[in-house]
Amino acid sequence: MTGDLIMKTRKSQRKTARIKSRMRYGLQETEGRVVNVSMDGVALDMFGPVHAAAGSPVKIECGEIGYLEGVVRWARNGRVGVHFNPSSNARAQLASYFRFNHKD
C-alpha cells in the first residue's frame, strides 16, 4: 500500500479535561463532556445520540470555557471531534481557560 492517505491532525497540543458541556446541532441539543481540548478544537463524549456529520456546524456551551462555535471533523462511538472556526472568539476564550486551568 502506498502513502496516499493524508490525514489532517490537530497541530496544537491537547490537554485532558473533564468539562460538562452541551452541543447544539440545528435544533438538536445533546449534553456531554469535553475530554480533551486544544487551541484548535475539542473532543467530546456525548451522553445522547448525535446525528451531526463531518462538516456540520455546531455550537458548544461549556461552563469553564464559554460559548464556542465550530465544525464537526469526526464522530464515532458517541465521541465527537470539533474544530473551532478561526474567525470566532474561541482563541481568546481558550487562552483564558488555559491560563487559569492548565499551568505547566
Side-chain angles (χ1 to χ4, degrees):
M1 186 171 235
T2 62
D4 294 338
L5 181 61
I6 299 172
M7 294 183 70
K8 281 188 138 185
T9 58
R10 218 184 298 182
K11 292 180 176 90
S12 300
Q13 183 180 8
R14 296 175 183 158
K15 297 286 188 174
T16 301
R18 294 180 67 80
I19 306 169
K20 186 176 177 184
S21 62
R22 176 169 285 161
M23 187 175 82
R24 190 171 311 161
Y25 168 64
L27 298 176
Q28 178 187 23
E29 191 171 288
T30 307
E31 290 191 20
R33 177 178 58 224
V34 172
V35 293
N36 71 49
V37 60
S38 76
M39 289 299 289
D40 296 322
V42 295
L44 301 111
D45 275 340
M46 303 310 298
F47 300 151
V50 177
H51 303 291
S56 301
V58 293
K59 297 176 183 176
I60 301 168
E61 183 180 346
C62 299
E64 293 179 30
I65 300 174
Y67 181 78
L68 305 165
E69 294 184 18
V71 175
V72 173
R73 289 294 178 216
W74 52 266
R76 61 183 164 275
N77 300 327
R79 189 170 270 196
V80 178
V82 176
H83 184 264
F84 299 130
N85 295 335
S87 62
S88 72
N89 64 351
R91 288 191 89 57
Q93 289 173 271
L94 288 163
S96 176
Y97 168 76
F98 282 119
R99 184 172 42 252
F100 294 109
N101 295 289
H102 288 280
K103 298 177 183 180
D104 292 330

